[in-house]
Amino acid sequence: MSQNKLKWHDRKTSKYLGKNVPRVDGPEKVSGHAKYTYDIILPGMLYGKFLRSPYANAQVKSIDVSKAKNMPGVHAVISDIATQARFAGQEIAAVAAESEEIARDAINAIEIEWDVQPHSVETLIAMRRPDRVSEQRGQTAGGDPNNFWSQCAAVVEGEYYAPVREHLSLETHGVVARWDGPDRATVWVSTQAVHGVAGDLSGAFRIPAENITIICEHMGGGFGSKFSAGTEGLYAMRLARMTNRPVKMMLERYEEQVASGNGPDCFMKCKAGMTADGKLLAIDAEIYGTSGNSRSYNIPFPYIYSVPNTRVKIFAVPTNTGGARALRAPMHPNASFLMETVLDELIAKLNLDPVEVRIANQGSDVRANQLRLGAEKIGWDRRNKTPGQSKERFQRGIGCAVSTWGGGGGRGSECNVRIGRDGNVYAGIGTQDLGTGTRTLVAAIVAEELSIPISKVKADIGRSSLPNSGGSGGSVTAASVSPAVKSAAYEAAQQLLQTASTILGVPPNDLEFKDGQIRSKSDPSKSVSFENACARLPANGISVTGGFVAGLQRGGVAGAQFVEVEVDTWTGHVQPIKVVAVQDCGYWLNKLTAESQIIGGVIQGLSMALFEDRKMDEPTGRMLNPNMETYKVLGALEVPEIEPILFETHEQVAGIGEPVVIPTAAALGNAVYNATGVRIRTLPITPKRWFDALETKR
Amino acid sequence: MSENSKDSKSKKLSRRQFLGTAGSAIAATTLSGSILSGAVCASKHKESTGAQSPDAQGSVEVSLKVNGKSQTLRVQPRVTLLDTLRERLSLTGSKRICDRGNCGGCTVLLDGKPIYACMMLAVDAQNKEITTIEGLATPQNLTELQKQFVEKDALMCGFCTPGFVMACHAALKANPNATREEIKQACRGNICRCGTFNRVFEAAYAIAKPKT
C-alpha cells in the first residue's frame, strides 16, 4: 500500500486509537516527578532576574549598577538591555546571583535616573486620540449598509467591549541555560516550539542550530504565548556565558502578567439589521483594540456569518502596555462575542428561534447539524420563550453560539520509529506536549500499528535534537504529528513483516499484527510473537523515518455550544449550570484527551465570560492586577456540568485545541439575556455590570 | 547551589545588613497573616541550638522534617518553605505558580493539614511533619487517588496537578465519605488553567466511600 493510501484504524476494532487512552506521562505528573523547566536544578546554577521599568514610557538617563555588582553572591550584571521603556514591565537590566533572593536584592540596588514621558495605557482613552489610532484593513461587501436600514424589520445599535485577557500559564515563561562549550549550549525552555527556539537562539548567538539542544519534556501551559526564546531566553544565555555557569531565569508571576503577552481587547460601535424572516441584511461596525505598542491589530468580523451589506472598519490603538501574543484562537472568542451578541439582540427583537436563525445565516451543514444536536442535548425547549419571564429570585436561561477554525496539519514533521532486537519500540519526534496529550498519541499510534501494549512504546518528544516538527500553535499539532508517526510506524511494521515472513514461510501480504503476534490472515495457526520476530532482526534492528501524509489529516472544523446559567437577581451573580459543547474533530485519536480539550476550552471560555479583565491604570501607567488574586479566573465552585460531544464528520485528524474556547463566552451572555431579559454588552459579566444593564433596561 | 563559591566577593555581613534581611522576612510574613512569627521562631531556636547566628549570607540553620526524613540546612530567614523545598531540597513536585497563596499549586501537608508552602517561611516550618507530593507515592506505586487522576484524565499540562492531588488527598483523609460537593469545596483553593476541574472531582469522588 502506498503511503498516500494510509488510513486510520477503524475505531470498532482498534485497541487504542479513538478509545480512552490514559496519558502515558500521567503517573509522572500526578506524583510530582515530571520535571518542568521550572524544576531544573543544575550544579553551580545561578539565578537570573530582570529589572523592569516601573514607568509606561520613560527613558533611562543614567543607570548605576555598582552597588549591585559588589553585592556578595552577585556574579553578573547587564545594564544595556534597553534605554527606552515603552511599557511598565519592560526589561532594562539583568543580574545573575547565587540565589533568587540575592538576585532580587541586586535588582533593588540598581539605581536609575528616569526621564518620564507621557503615556497612554487604556484603549478606551487612547482610541479617542486620532494621532494614536491606525486604520487596518477591514471588511466590505455589497452596498453601503446605511442604504438598507429601512428594509430591516429589526435594527440594533450599540457599543460592545471585551477586555484584554491574559494567558496566565501556570508555569511562567522561563529557561535554564547552560553553555557546554564556546559554541554549544543546552537550554531547558518552557515552550510550544523546541525547534523554533533552537532557531531563535542559533540566530541570536550565531552558532549552528544543531549545537543548541532545547529541552522541554513537560510544560505548564502556553496557550499561544510560548513560541519564541523570549527576552528571558536571550539574557539567560548571555548571563550564562558571562559567568560560565548555568543560569535559571523563570519569570515571577507579576512579570508573567505584565510582560509575557496577552490577548488584545475589542471595542465595537455597531449597527446591524435583519429582515423579518431572520436574515442578516446589513452591518456597519468600527472595531478598536490594542496589541500593546504595535500598530497592527486584526479581528475576523462579522465572524462566520455572511452579511450581504457589510462595512467593518478596524483600528489599531497602540498603547504603552505589554505586547500581545497569540491567545488560544486569537481574536475568535472576541469576534464571536461581538457578533453573536449583536445577532442575538436582533433575533430577540423579532422573537425568532436563535438556533434556526443561526442555521439560516451560515453556510455549513455540519454546523447546522451541530446546532440541532446541541439544542436537543441541552433541552432547548426549556428556554424562556419570553426572556426574563420568571419572577423568581433565581432565574435560568439558555444561550448558544458557534465557531470556526482550521486545525489541519502541515508538512515538516518527521518521526523516527525504531524496533529493537529486544522487542523495544521507540518513536522520536521533535514536537512538544502542552498538556494536550501529544506524547500519548505518538505512543498510541505506534502501539496500534504494531498491535502491542502501549507501555512497550517509548515516545520521545520535547527535544530539538529529535527529528523536526513545528511549533504547537493553530491547533495543528495532532494533525501534523500523527501522519508522520503513522507513516513511520507503518513502514517499520512492513519491514518487520518481511522478517516474520521468513520465519513463518508466509508471504508478507498474508501477515497481520494481532494482539502481540504476527500471524497469517489465511491460517491464524501460523504465528510468531512480536518479540520472537524482533529477535530475528539484524543487530541494529529497524529504523524508519516517516513524514507528512496529507490524506491522514484535514482542517476546517465547526463547533456549536449551548450554555445554561442561573442568575441570582438579588446579587447579580451568574452561575453556569450546564454546557453542551459539540465539536467537529474528524478522527479523534484519543477520546479521553480530546474530551479534556473540549472541557478545558469551555472552562476558559466561561472564565472569559465571567472574570477575566486586565486592568490598566491610566494615571500611573501600570497594570493593577498582575497576580492571580485580582486577575480572576474561573475556579472550582463556578465550574458547571460540561458535556463534550465529539462530532465526527470524516476519518481524518483535525485539531480542536482552539475552536473549543471560541463560542462559550458569547453563549453565556446570550443565556444571561434569556434568563433575565438583561443584555450585557461588555465582558466580563460581573454582578455590577448585570445591575447596571438592568438599570439601563428600566 | 554553591553559596560560597565567590570568596573574593563574600564579605562579613554587617549588623545593618542583617537587620535589613530580617526586615524583609517580616514584611513577607505579614502576607501570610502571621506577623513576626518568623522572627519569634528564629529567636527561640537561637537559644536551644546556638546555631542560629546568621552567616555572611544572612542564612540561619533550619531543621525540617520532610516526608519522614529530618534535614538540616542553612537558609535566609526570609526564604519560603516552598522555595526551600524546591530549590534547596530538590523536591520540585510542589509548584511555584502565584507565590502568594492564590492558586494552591504548592499545597503540602503540615502535620497532615493542607497549607500553601509559598505562604510560610522555612524557619516557621520547623518541628512539623511536612509531606510533599513526593512523600505520597512514586510513579510506579501510585495511591488509589493518583491512579484515578490518571484514569479519568484529571490533568492536562499537569502543573497544578500535584496541588490538586494534595488537596483531594487531605480532604479524603479527613472525610473518606466526602460528597461531590465536599470535594468541590476542598478544591476551591486550587486553580487549574487548562480546565481539568470536572475530572478532578470525578477522580476524587471515585474513591470516596459511600456514606453509610
Side-chain angles (χ1 to χ4, degrees):
Chain A
M1 181 164 44
S2 98
Q3 292 264 327
N4 290 333
K5 289 187 182 148
L6 284 181
K7 278 196 171 75
W8 292 109
H9 289 80
D10 186 339
R11 264 196 282 273
K12 288 188 206 77
T13 54
S14 66
K15 181 146 187 266
Y16 295 110
L17 296 187
K19 302 291 170 61
N20 288 325
V21 186
R23 285 165 205 265
V24 294
D25 48 11
E28 276 177 89
K29 285 183 171 181
V30 300
S31 62
H33 285 76
K35 290 288 177 196
Y36 297 75
T37 304
Y38 221 135
D39 304 333
I40 301 299
I41 297 166
L42 300 176
M45 185 175 84
L46 300 174
Y47 293 78
K49 197 66 75 186
F50 283 119
L51 183 150
R52 292 177 183 276
S53 167
Y55 301 110
N57 193 18
Q59 198 172 6
V60 177
K61 280 169 72 181
S62 69
I63 180 164
D64 180 358
V65 298
S66 55
K67 279 186 194 148
K69 257 188 181 152
N70 291 326
M71 288 174 79
V74 174
H75 285 246
V77 179
I78 295 173
S79 58
D80 63 350
I81 300 179
T83 54
Q84 172 76 42
R86 296 282 180 207
F87 68 96
Q90 187 170 329
E91 301 85 357
I92 302 296
V95 305
E98 287 168 19
S99 75
E100 217 183 338
E101 292 77 26
I102 297 171
R104 283 190 198 117
D105 289 346
I107 290 296
N108 290 334
I110 295 174
E111 288 165 1
I112 298 183
E113 204 184 335
W114 292 95
D115 175 18
V116 180
Q117 295 150 357
H119 61 250
S120 192
V121 296
E122 278 220 69
T123 308
L124 300 185
I125 295 172
M127 62 178 266
R128 290 190 225 124
R129 288 175 46 189
D131 60 311
R132 287 197 84 94
V133 170
S134 108
E135 185 163 1
Q136 314 285 303
R137 215 172 80 176
Q139 301 251 20
T140 52
D144 184 339
N146 285 324
N147 297 335
F148 296 89
W149 307 129
S150 59
Q151 295 172 42
C152 295
V155 173
V156 298
E157 194 168 3
E159 295 184 350
Y160 303 77
Y161 184 68
V164 171
R165 288 176 298 131
E166 306 230 303
H167 301 76
L168 209 79
S169 304
L170 295 194
E171 181 182 31
T172 56
H173 286 65
V175 310
V176 178
R178 184 185 72 196
W179 288 90
D180 302 322
D183 65 346
R184 313 192 72 83
T186 306
V187 192
W188 289 259
V189 186
S190 183
T191 182
Q192 298 177 231
V194 289
H195 279 283
V197 171
D200 285 352
L201 293 178
S202 150
F205 292 90
R206 299 203 178 129
I207 54 177
E210 62 268 22
N211 285 9
I212 301 184
T213 304
I214 304 299
I215 303 176
C216 180
E217 282 283 330
H218 303 282
M219 62 95 77
F223 311 109
S225 68
K226 289 183 178 170
F227 288 104
S228 74
T231 316
E232 59 280 359
L234 299 178
Y235 287 93
M237 287 281 279
R238 228 178 109 182
L239 289 166
R241 182 179 255 178
M242 288 164 75
T243 58
N244 207 18
R245 285 167 71 158
V247 170
K248 180 175 192 172
M249 203 161 192
M250 299 302 298
L251 300 194
E252 298 197 32
R253 177 51 51 187
Y254 90 93
E255 301 181 279
E256 180 74 11
Q257 293 190 231
V258 298
S260 77
N262 54 66
D265 53 357
C266 54
F267 169 84
M268 176 174 79
K269 279 190 263 191
C270 180
K271 188 173 183 182
M274 183 177 269
T275 58
D277 61 350
K279 284 288 199 149
L280 285 163
L281 185 63
I283 192 160
D284 190 6
E286 282 185 7
I287 305 177
Y288 298 78
T290 189
S291 313
N293 284 290
S294 163
R295 293 186 73 79
S296 72
Y297 172 82
N298 204 359
I299 182 166
F301 196 83
Y303 203 40
I304 66 120
Y305 298 102
S306 50
V307 187
N309 305 290
T310 297
R311 181 171 61 205
V312 178
K313 291 184 161 194
I314 298 171
F315 301 90
V317 184
T319 53
N320 297 102
T321 59
R325 292 185 192 172
L327 170 55
R328 200 172 184 175
M331 298 316 282
H332 279 237
N334 310 49
S336 163
F337 170 71
L338 297 178
M339 187 59 204
E340 298 275 12
T341 306
V342 169
L343 181 61
D344 223 59
E345 289 184 34
L346 290 166
I347 293 168
K349 278 201 165 184
L350 297 171
N351 201 21
L352 298 170
D353 182 337
V355 167
E356 292 307 322
V357 173
R358 279 178 172 79
I359 290 171
N361 281 284
Q362 57 88 46
S364 154
D365 290 344
V366 171
R367 199 178 283 113
N369 290 331
Q370 290 178 330
L371 278 162
R372 291 196 178 99
L373 177 64
E376 182 196 321
K377 294 283 180 186
I378 195 90
W380 185 238
D381 292 341
R382 296 185 293 116
R383 79 187 193 283
N384 297 310
K385 300 299 178 294
T386 307
Q389 67 197 22
S390 167
K391 297 287 170 261
E392 304 296 316
R393 171 181 170 181
F394 294 97
Q395 301 180 1
R396 289 198 178 193
I398 305 174
C400 65
V402 300
S403 68
T404 185
W405 195 251
R411 295 183 180 278
S413 283
E414 288 181 346
C415 178
N416 175 222
V417 168
R418 291 181 225 151
I419 301 174
R421 222 184 205 180
D422 54 4
N424 284 321
V425 178
Y426 166 96
I429 178 165
T431 182
Q432 48 281 313
D433 193 333
L434 278 54
T436 48
T438 309
R439 183 179 274 110
T440 306
L441 72 83
V442 169
I445 291 166
V446 178
E448 189 75 55
E449 198 67 32
L450 300 171
S451 198
I452 56 174
I454 193 169
S455 57
K456 287 230 162 196
V457 182
K458 158 84 180 157
D460 193 13
I461 67 167
R463 272 201 322 285
S464 64
S465 49
L466 292 165
N468 193 49
S469 190
S472 293
S475 305
V476 302
T477 308
S480 303
V481 166
S482 63
V485 178
K486 164 93 178 173
S487 70
Y490 173 79
E491 283 302 331
Q494 294 309 303
Q495 290 189 19
L496 187 58
L497 289 185
Q498 294 291 343
T499 302
S501 167
T502 317
I503 299 168
L504 297 170
V506 173
N509 60 10
D510 184 39
L511 288 172
E512 65 176 358
F513 290 89
K514 186 75 187 168
D515 299 333
Q517 305 278 318
I518 300 172
R519 69 178 191 191
S520 161
K521 288 185 233 173
S522 55
D523 179 3
S525 72
K526 286 184 180 164
S527 72
V528 57
S529 73
F530 181 79
E531 281 77 14
N532 287 343
C534 292
R536 298 279 287 272
L537 288 171
N540 56 355
I542 294 170
S543 178
V544 175
T545 297
F548 188 65
V549 181
L552 290 171
Q553 60 74 46
R554 187 161 113 194
V557 294
Q561 293 186 11
F562 289 74
V563 176
E564 179 174 11
V565 297
E566 182 175 85
V567 182
D568 182 344
T569 57
W570 290 9
T571 65
H573 175 76
V574 176
Q575 175 68 47
I577 301 295
K578 182 169 183 179
V579 179
V580 171
V582 189
Q583 184 58 49
D584 173 11
C585 57
Y587 181 91
W588 58 87
L589 293 158
N590 185 350
K591 185 158 185 270
L592 196 61
T593 53
E595 286 179 350
S596 282
Q597 279 297 302
I598 299 181
I599 295 168
V602 166
I603 287 175
Q604 279 190 2
L606 295 172
S607 188
M608 169 189 179
L610 295 172
F611 296 102
E612 296 186 37
D613 190 356
R614 184 193 70 175
K615 292 278 187 203
M616 295 305 300
D617 185 46
E618 192 63 29
T620 60
R622 297 176 74 163
M623 180 177 171
L624 289 170
N625 54 348
N627 54 65
M628 290 177 68
E629 187 175 353
T630 53
Y631 183 89
K632 293 197 179 300
V633 293
L634 200 82
L637 300 187
E638 293 91 22
V639 168
E641 180 192 348
I642 300 170
E643 186 179 346
I645 298 176
L646 298 169
F647 193 82
E648 189 173 359
T649 46
H650 51 75
E651 291 291 314
Q652 291 144 304
V653 172
I656 61 164
E658 285 162 289
V660 290
V661 79
I662 295 170
T664 324
L668 185 139
N670 293 340
V672 169
Y673 175 76
N674 186 250
T676 61
V678 175
R679 176 66 63 184
I680 299 170
R681 289 169 165 174
T682 300
L683 292 181
I685 298 174
T686 59
K688 181 181 185 303
R689 290 224 167 91
W690 186 81
F691 279 113
D692 286 350
L694 182 68
E695 282 301 313
T696 311
K697 191 185 160 201
R698 282 175 181 155
Chain B
M1 196 165 65
S2 55
E3 293 200 325
N4 299 314
S5 65
K6 216 184 167 204
D7 294 337
S8 60
K9 267 197 188 171
S10 46
K11 289 184 208 156
K12 221 176 158 185
L13 196 73
S14 70
R15 180 180 161 75
R16 182 177 295 273
Q17 279 172 306
F18 172 64
L19 287 176
T21 310
S24 42
I26 291 163
T29 320
T30 48
L31 289 172
S32 70
S34 59
I35 306 167
L36 295 180
S37 64
V40 170
C41 195
S43 60
K44 193 168 67 193
H45 286 274
K46 196 173 190 172
E47 285 163 32
S48 56
T49 66
Q52 285 295 309
S53 52
D55 59 17
Q57 304 268 2
S59 300
V60 294
E61 193 173 288
V62 174
S63 296
L64 296 175
K65 193 170 176 195
V66 186
N67 300 331
K69 197 174 138 200
S70 293
Q71 317 195 47
T72 302
L73 65 160
R74 298 191 72 88
V75 296
Q76 291 184 332
R78 58 177 165 167
V79 179
T80 62
L81 173 59
L82 176 64
D83 288 352
T84 305
L85 291 171
R86 287 179 51 81
E87 302 295 328
R88 299 297 307 278
L89 301 179
S90 294
L91 293 167
T92 54
S94 312
K95 301 304 183 201
R96 188 166 98 182
I97 299 172
C98 70
D99 212 17
R100 57 187 274 179
N102 304 141
C103 76
C106 63
T107 303
V108 299
L109 305 182
L110 201 72
D111 289 340
K113 293 212 169 65
I115 62 138
Y116 294 150
C118 72
M119 297 300 280
M120 176 172 260
L121 298 177
V123 292
D124 277 346
Q126 300 184 98
N127 306 317
K128 315 254 191 213
E129 293 272 351
I130 302 159
T131 309
T132 70
I133 184 81
E134 290 90 346
L136 288 195
T138 61
Q140 293 74 32
N141 185 26
L142 300 177
T143 64
E144 286 308 310
L145 174 67
Q146 288 168 319
K147 284 180 191 164
Q148 284 299 321
F149 263 67
V150 177
E151 188 89 353
K152 301 275 195 299
D153 206 37
L155 67 150
M156 283 193 252
C157 82
F159 211 68
C160 70
T161 308
F164 272 96
V165 169
M166 294 308 276
C168 292
H169 174 86
L172 288 163
K173 217 167 165 194
N175 177 13
N177 316 108
T179 62
R180 271 177 200 279
E181 190 51 37
E182 284 162 345
I183 287 164
K184 243 186 181 188
Q185 290 289 337
C187 294
R188 71 189 191 277
N190 294 67
I191 291 291
C192 168
R193 185 54 161 163
C194 298
T196 59
F197 294 100
N198 305 56
R199 287 180 159 179
V200 168
F201 306 152
E202 275 175 50
Y205 189 64
I207 65 157
K209 295 182 181 63
K211 284 205 197 304
T212 47

